[in-house]
Amino acid sequence: MAFSLPPLPYGLDALAPHISRETLELHHGQHHQTYVDKLNDLVDDNSQTNDDLEAVIHAADDQHVFDNAAQHWNHSFYWQCMSPDGGGSPSGELAEALDRDFGSVDAFTKGLHEEAETHFGSGWAWLVHDGSKLLVTSTHDADLPLKHGQKALLTIDVWEHAYYVDYRNKRPDYLTAFFDGVVNWDFVAQNLKAV
Ligand code: FE2
């Protein structure tokens, strides 16, 4: 066994027109696959699988191992943050928690949109739980909430490879499409329940 690329939880055409087949083919089939391949090349123990990924991230004292392991985790999580049935508004306990910690659901989505839009360079924008409340944050390159004692509930990939094919340099248009068309609130609600 070894680390492996998880299949997308939907078809390559399922997120169009918000996220195209070409973007998913490149992003999942090439970028994510490359992180998995490099991680397998870097670690000596080929008995490790995706179930060991968080332990590898915590233990990594080599930057290359950390970067490739973290990018494997981040992308595996990101695919689940989108759905062909996505978009709309959060409801139930998730909406109540967002109201409580951000004032309103709209204030939260505006805050996450701004965090993702203004994040300088490559990285990830997140909704996290810090142990007592929900927070909007972002991380650079491969860094992730797991390394900061936070539980990830939702992420948006803001590396250019996530949006350049469909939106060129217009990151705000990608973010609008993410929120309007594909964001998977059911997955976020499920993550909140597990906190
Ligand atoms: Fe990516």
Side-chain angles (χ1 to χ4, degrees):
M1 290 295 288
F3 295 104
S4 58
L5 182 70
L8 285 174
Y10 33 75
L12 287 167
D13 293 311
L15 302 184
H18 312 289
I19 305 288
S20 68
R21 164 182 278 264
E22 186 181 0
T23 288
L24 289 178
E25 283 175 341
L26 286 167
H27 198 180
H28 177 260
Q30 296 195 35
H31 288 281
H32 190 172
Q33 180 71 64
T34 300
Y35 295 125
V36 172
D37 291 344
K38 284 186 180 168
L39 180 59
N40 281 323
D41 287 344
L42 285 164
V43 297
D44 296 329
D45 182 0
N46 285 328
S47 70
Q48 293 182 112
T49 68
N50 292 347
D51 289 341
D52 304 304
L53 189 56
E54 294 192 1
V56 169
I57 290 168
H58 279 304
D61 52 11
D62 177 283
Q63 189 68 40
H64 297 298
V65 171
F66 174 79
D67 286 344
N68 287 285
Q71 284 293 73
H72 180 23
W73 194 99
N74 292 340
H75 284 90
S76 301
F77 188 78
Y78 170 66
W79 307 128
Q80 300 175 78
C81 291
M82 300 186 287
S83 164
D85 304 316
S89 302
S91 58
E93 289 179 15
L94 174 59
E96 288 167 18
L98 294 170
D99 280 341
R100 182 192 68 219
D101 291 339
F102 298 97
S104 68
V105 169
D106 282 351
F108 154 69
T109 52
K110 188 164 179 284
L112 181 57
H113 193 293
E114 281 181 7
E115 184 79 22
E117 186 173 332
T118 58
H119 180 85
F120 187 78
S122 297
W124 301 82
W126 304 89
L127 171 67
V128 301
H129 194 279
D130 73 353
S132 59
K133 63 186 179 306
L134 300 174
L135 286 176
V136 163
T137 186
S138 58
T139 56
H140 287 279
D141 301 324
D143 194 17
L144 71 176
L146 192 65
K147 283 294 281 185
H148 304 278
Q150 299 166 332
K151 166 89 176 165
L153 304 186
L154 170 66
T155 196
I156 308 173
D157 188 342
V158 296
W159 286 59
E160 281 190 345
H161 66 222
Y163 59 88
Y164 211 84
V165 167
D166 294 328
Y167 300 98
R168 298 301 182 213
N169 58 322
K170 296 185 174 62
R171 189 190 290 180
D173 291 357
Y174 157 63
L175 298 172
T176 298
F178 182 91
F179 283 108
D180 290 352
V182 297
V183 60
N184 184 355
W185 294 122
D186 290 343
F187 179 63
V188 183
Q190 177 189 317
N191 291 333
L192 179 62
K193 276 197 170 66
V195 165

